[in-house]
């Protein structure tokens, strides 16, 4: 298991199940710190950093991974969030579970202990259940379609996804 596997599965769900324009980014070729995946729907974009951690630490007070995000990645999300773009996410797989965080956690994610993962994530669930990744992509897709739209437009856009996303997501 590694980040490339997560990327492959994430892109597959985004493209096939949600018909999103989704593409991987090779940060070494573009810009240091840029997230791994970009999703586009209409004129709106969302950036997702993908991470893999093999296991939670044995001690509850030990950070899950103190080197999870590089300084350049934290800085990229800081600048992105300052622009109030709001469509940034960090998807972390720890053992057999996915945790989706909003990008404003980028500066402190390296200090999170196991409890923080469960308390501060927006979506989490078993990586063995394919529905979990659908929920993650669905959450991001609906966040992307909500940026810059009025309430009526958001409702209309969400209705177009109703057949693909479980109702308890909202």
């Amino acid at each position: 298991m590694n980040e490339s596997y997560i990327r492959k599965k994430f892109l597959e769900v985004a493209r096939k199940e949600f018909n999103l324009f989704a593409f991987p980014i090779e940060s070494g070729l573009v810009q240091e710190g840029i997230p791994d995946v970009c999703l586009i729907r209409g004129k709106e974009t969302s950036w997702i950093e993908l991470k893999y951690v093999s296991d939670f630490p044995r001690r509850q007070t030990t950070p899950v991974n103190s080197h999870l995000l590089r300084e350049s990645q934290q800085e990229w999300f800081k600048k992105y969030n300052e622009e109030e773009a709001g469509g940034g996410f960090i998807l972390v797989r720890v053992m057999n579970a996915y945790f989706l965080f909003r990008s404003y956690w980028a500066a402190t994610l390296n200090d999170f202990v196991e409890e923080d993962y469960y308390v501060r994530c927006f979506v989490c669930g078993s990586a063995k259940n394919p529905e979990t990744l659908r929920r993650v992509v669905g959450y991001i897709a609906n966040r992307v379609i909500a940026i810059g739209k009025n309430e009526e437009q958001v409702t209309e856009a969400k209705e177009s996804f109703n057949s693909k996303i479980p109702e308890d997501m909202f």
Side-chain angles (χ1 to χ4, degrees):
M1 174 60 57
N2 56 30
E3 288 176 25
S4 62
Y5 176 81
I6 298 168
R7 181 186 321 193
K8 176 185 170 193
K9 290 297 186 186
F10 184 93
L11 291 170
E12 185 178 291
V13 170
R15 291 172 179 158
K16 291 181 180 176
E17 297 191 33
F18 291 93
N19 199 30
L20 294 170
F21 181 58
F23 56 95
I25 303 292
E26 296 300 329
S27 59
L29 302 175
V30 181
Q31 172 188 346
E32 189 175 348
I34 195 166
D36 297 315
V37 174
C38 182
L39 296 181
I40 299 175
R41 185 165 201 279
K43 295 179 182 177
E44 308 302 336
T45 62
S46 190
W47 296 87
I48 302 94
E49 179 63 33
L50 306 172
K51 293 294 181 182
Y52 175 74
V53 178
S54 61
D55 203 349
F56 284 112
R58 288 185 180 166
R59 291 179 39 206
Q60 300 259 330
T61 57
T62 302
V64 174
N65 187 331
S66 60
H67 303 290
L68 189 68
L69 292 176
R70 296 186 315 272
E71 189 175 324
S72 61
Q73 293 171 316
Q74 293 173 352
E75 188 62 28
W76 192 95
F77 275 123
K78 178 183 176 191
K79 289 178 183 176
Y80 185 73
N81 291 333
E82 286 172 356
E83 295 297 321
E84 297 185 29
F89 298 90
I90 303 157
L91 178 62
V92 183
R93 180 171 173 168
V94 181
M95 295 179 11
N96 289 317
Y98 283 116
F99 298 88
L100 180 66
F101 298 96
R102 294 291 301 274
S103 61
Y104 54 75
W105 291 116
T108 56
L109 190 61
N110 289 355
D111 299 324
F112 281 14
V113 296
E114 181 177 355
E115 180 181 356
D116 294 325
Y117 270 65
Y118 289 98
V119 172
R120 299 177 187 204
C121 72
F122 274 97
V123 179
C124 68
S126 171
K128 293 181 178 181
N129 181 352
E131 187 64 26
T132 300
L133 201 50
R134 273 183 79 217
R135 293 172 68 95
V136 166
V137 174
Y139 177 85
I140 295 170
N142 275 286
R143 177 66 185 108
V144 169
I145 63 175
I147 297 171
K149 300 198 179 340
N150 65 38
E151 189 175 332
E152 184 180 318
Q153 290 170 318
V154 170
T155 301
E156 183 180 306
K158 283 184 178 179
E159 286 173 1
S160 73
F161 279 98
N162 276 347
S163 64
K164 299 176 183 176
I165 302 175
E167 286 184 19
D168 61 350
M169 279 213 37
F170 302 107

